[in-house]
Amino acid sequence: MLATQLKYDLLMFSRELFYLVFTIIVPPVTYLFMGQLFGDQTYAGNLSYAETYTPSFILLITFGVIFFAFGFDQVMNRTIGIEKRINLSPVPKKMLLLSAILKSIIITSIGFFLVYFIGMIAYDLSFQPVRFLSAYGFFILLNAVLLVISSAIYSLFKSMNAALVFSIVIFQVVMITGGFTMPIALMPKFVQIIADANPLYHMNNLFIAVWNGQLTFDNSTLLSIGYIFGLVLVALVVIRFTNKRLS
């Protein structure tokens, strides 16, 4: 039953042109475009463009998939009555949630391997098995964090249109303030302030460090981890509160 539901969810995602463009097409194309402009530069930690931006664009795909295809889908199901029909159906609600989570992880993993493959072909990104496995393990952890935060945020929406506008706007904000376009240090002060409040900026820095085997538990790293952990706790409280309200 789970396999059937998962197959259906993946099929429905593949038919949503809006999701495909923002989550699977835009990030890799931007990754290639920026590489043509800045591929010869050296970045913080003496890293190349591929070493810095390969994990960044993998994370951007992960964010897009989870916020659009997981979080926004929750609002859509709630507002057009699908959730009520699900509650009346013989299919367990937990199984549907598990299918949605697995769908997100499968699609983000495709994004992971796609960007990695592009990096190896276009920018001579080297394959190091230990780093690769540690990066993928951390990537799965980031998936879990974003799933919790996304579920909490979209549980607050009652209008599909409002959720859609929020999704489009937040995607643009995250691209600019998450360190996905250019180093935050080179941006105006107000952008740096927003970046400090953006959890994707902290996740991005941590992912880059793990990807390149440069993770050190200094004050900056501990603050980032603490901030993300705190947001997850708040998100869990929000989810619990909204579930009680809807039950």
Side-chain angles (χ1 to χ4, degrees), residues 177 184 189-199 201-202 227:
T177 66
I184 296 299
K189 185 64 178 180
F190 76 93
V191 176
Q192 297 179 30
I193 293 173
I194 297 173
D196 285 335
N198 180 2
Y201 172 64
H202 297 276
Y227 180 59

Side-chain angles (χ1 to χ4, degrees), residues 3-65:
T4 302
Q5 182 61 41
L6 179 59
K7 181 180 178 180
Y8 171 79
D9 286 342
L10 290 170
L11 180 63
M12 291 304 294
F13 177 87
S14 68
R15 292 178 176 176
E16 289 288 346
L17 183 60
F18 178 78
Y19 291 168
L20 289 174
V21 168
F22 271 91
T23 60
I24 301 299
I25 298 176
V26 171
V29 170
T30 307
Y31 174 64
L32 279 170
F33 175 74
M34 287 186 59
Q36 299 305 310
L37 297 177
F38 309 111
D40 296 330
Q41 294 188 18
T42 301
Y43 297 84
N46 200 31
L47 300 176
S48 67
Y49 171 82
E51 291 170 329
T52 301
Y53 282 98
T54 301
S56 291
F57 279 94
I58 288 172
L59 180 59
L60 185 60
I61 290 175
T62 304
F63 166 78
V65 169

Side-chain angles (χ1 to χ4, degrees), residues 172-192:
Q172 302 303 318
V173 172
V174 163
M175 274 203 68
I176 295 171
T177 66
F180 300 106
T181 53
M182 67 174 63
I184 296 299
L186 300 179
M187 291 191 173
K189 185 64 178 180
F190 76 93
V191 176
Q192 297 179 30

Side-chain angles (χ1 to χ4, degrees), residues 129-147:
V130 175
R131 287 189 184 178
F132 178 85
L133 291 175
S134 62
Y136 187 75
F138 191 73
F139 160 80
I140 295 298
L141 178 61
L142 292 178
N143 266 265
V145 169
L146 287 172
L147 283 165

Side-chain angles (χ1 to χ4, degrees), residues 9-220:
D9 286 342
L10 290 170
L11 180 63
M12 291 304 294
F13 177 87
S14 68
R15 292 178 176 176
E16 289 288 346
L17 183 60
F18 178 78
Y19 291 168
L20 289 174
V21 168
F22 271 91
T23 60
I24 301 299
I25 298 176
V26 171
V29 170
T30 307
Y31 174 64
L32 279 170
F33 175 74
M34 287 186 59
Q36 299 305 310
L37 297 177
F38 309 111
D40 296 330
Q41 294 188 18
T42 301
Y43 297 84
N46 200 31
L47 300 176
S48 67
Y49 171 82
E51 291 170 329
T52 301
Y53 282 98
T54 301
S56 291
F57 279 94
I58 288 172
L59 180 59
L60 185 60
I61 290 175
T62 304
F63 166 78
V65 169
I66 290 176
F67 269 64
F68 281 107
F70 179 77
F72 179 73
D73 269 5
Q74 288 184 345
V75 181
M76 184 172 65
N77 292 341
R78 192 162 57 244
T79 54
I80 66 178
I82 293 178
E83 193 171 271
K84 289 183 179 180
R85 292 197 292 272
I86 289 173
N87 291 333
L88 297 174
S89 72
V91 182
K93 189 174 180 180
K94 289 184 178 180
M95 191 201 72
L96 294 172
L97 177 61
L98 178 59
S99 176
I101 292 172
L102 290 175
K103 174 194 70 175
S104 298
I105 292 175
I106 289 171
I107 297 169
T108 57
S109 293
I110 291 173
F112 182 101
F113 293 112
L114 173 62
V115 176
Y116 194 93
F117 179 75
I118 292 173
M120 288 194 297
I121 298 300
Y123 306 117
D124 297 323
L125 185 68
S126 62
F127 175 76
Q128 301 181 36
V130 175
R131 287 189 184 178
F132 178 85
L133 291 175
S134 62
Y136 187 75
F138 191 73
F139 160 80
I140 295 298
L141 178 61
L142 292 178
N143 266 265
V145 169
L146 287 172
L147 283 165
V148 172
I149 294 175
S150 172
S151 183
I153 291 175
Y154 284 96
S155 69
L156 302 175
F157 284 95
K158 297 180 180 180
S159 166
M160 190 168 65
N161 289 337
L164 179 59
V165 171
F166 168 81
S167 300
I168 295 173
V169 170
I170 200 66
F171 187 83
Q172 302 303 318
V173 172
V174 163
M175 274 203 68
I176 295 171
T177 66
F180 300 106
T181 53
M182 67 174 63
I184 296 299
L186 300 179
M187 291 191 173
K189 185 64 178 180
F190 76 93
V191 176
Q192 297 179 30
I193 293 173
I194 297 173
D196 285 335
N198 180 2
L200 268 296
Y201 172 64
H202 297 276
M203 293 181 197
N204 190 20
N205 288 336
L206 291 172
F207 195 22
I208 291 171
V210 171
W211 184 277
N212 294 288
Q214 294 183 348
L215 183 66
T216 56
F217 292 96
D218 54 18
N219 288 338
S220 178

